[in-house]
Amino acid sequence: MSFAVNDRPGVSSVTRARILAAARDLGWQPSASARALTEARTRAIGLVLARSAAQLEGDTFFLRFLAGIEEVLTAADYALLLQIVPGEASAALPAYERLAAAGRVDGFLLTDVEAGDPRFALLSGAGIPVVLAGRPVGRAPFPWLETRHDEGIAPAVAHLAELGHERIGFLCGRPEFEHQRVREVAWRSALLEAGLAPGPLGHVVFDAPAAALTVLQEEPTAVICSSDALAVELYLAARSLGVAIPGDLSVIGFDDSTLARYASPALTSVRVDYAEFGAAAATALLAAIAGEPAPDYSPSVPELVVRASTALRRRR
């Protein structure tokens, strides 16, 4: 039967057709473990996240990204081996070493790509297929793909400029992460295009409330945040200073998460199709595992979803 199911020589076409028809009638499905042994593959891909539980709770990106990955893997009869490692990116290196050395996955997806990313050297030596979900900083030994997330910043700046705002700040995460860096660059570029000087800039490294307060103390009339979670931190900091939103300060978030819809006031936010991104990343990795070129990926354009957190600039 295995020769017929796996289309191997030694079985006539008539006999093969009869065996396959009988298998369908009986509802028989091939064993994933048996297929893995036959193919010398695990039929699993690895994804290691350096995240705390608190960080994951409000991380809309990974929820949507994982949903897209799972949609592709389920259709391909593959599994996702997900490991969450609390701490910095370097704390996850032993997990990559263990998974690669034990042959537990056929390939890895890498997220949170950093400048001088230590995973590149480790996995290059392991000789296992890898796809980067994110643009690398400089050269990288692996194929990569990216959304057009940075293109969501320009419409946010344009929206605020149309409302009369001239001092537009930016609150973002750690600058070593590529996706944070390019959003900051996009913010500066969009302000230049609008003929405006950069407003206050805050990088959150350890303490988001402190970074939010630092930005507000420089008195911007509007702030763009690189995530909805940071926008909520800015809300709290603004209220502690008696700054009204949107009366005194307009705020725009990023990701268009549940937080954006249920914040008070409801948060204007940039929406990126991260499920589409996850599906494309998983498809590219499966192609690499099979030794085939990845299909073309044309990411969707980000959308600015306008809500109640932005308003005409109040003249002081």
Side-chain angles (χ1 to χ4, degrees), residues 86-259:
E88 302 297 316
S90 58
L93 290 177
Y96 288 103
E97 288 182 303
R98 288 193 301 271
L99 292 174
R104 295 181 61 189
V105 296
D106 296 331
F108 285 103
L109 284 177
L110 300 190
T111 62
D112 296 331
V113 180
E114 299 182 15
D117 202 304
R119 296 172 295 180
F120 291 178
L122 173 67
L123 295 176
S124 292
I128 189 169
V130 174
V131 167
L132 308 183
R135 186 190 307 270
V137 181
R139 299 183 64 181
F142 309 116
W144 59 271
L145 67 165
E146 180 60 288
T147 66
R148 297 166 64 177
H149 67 94
D150 56 316
E151 295 180 26
I153 297 294
V157 169
H159 172 64
L160 293 172
E162 287 171 2
L163 294 173
H165 294 279
E166 298 175 349
R167 188 162 171 75
I168 301 171
F170 191 62
L171 180 62
C172 63
R174 293 166 51 184
E176 62 265 35
F177 286 142
E178 182 275 342
H179 65 280
Q180 297 290 343
R181 183 182 61 82
V182 297
R183 290 179 192 177
E184 180 185 334
V185 170
W187 166 71
R188 293 183 184 278
S189 177
L191 288 173
L192 182 64
E193 181 71 21
L196 300 175
L201 169 66
H203 286 117
V204 177
V205 179
F206 298 110
D207 191 339
L213 283 170
T214 298
V215 169
L216 291 176
Q217 285 165 357
E218 296 189 43
E219 298 186 345
T221 64
V223 177
I224 298 170
C225 302
S226 66
S227 73
D228 291 344
L230 287 182
V232 171
E233 292 286 359
L234 192 72
Y235 272 34
L236 297 175
R239 285 169 187 163
S240 74
L241 297 175
V243 175
I245 299 172
D248 300 320
L249 178 74
S250 286
V251 179
I252 295 180
F254 208 100
D255 292 338
D256 192 34
S257 65
T258 303
L259 286 174

Side-chain angles (χ1 to χ4, degrees), residues 64-89:
R64 294 174 181 166
F65 182 67
L66 290 173
I69 291 172
E70 289 287 12
E71 181 180 354
V72 169
L73 295 186
T74 298
D77 194 23
Y78 255 76
L80 175 66
L81 201 165
L82 173 64
Q83 289 204 356
I84 299 172
V85 180
E88 302 297 316

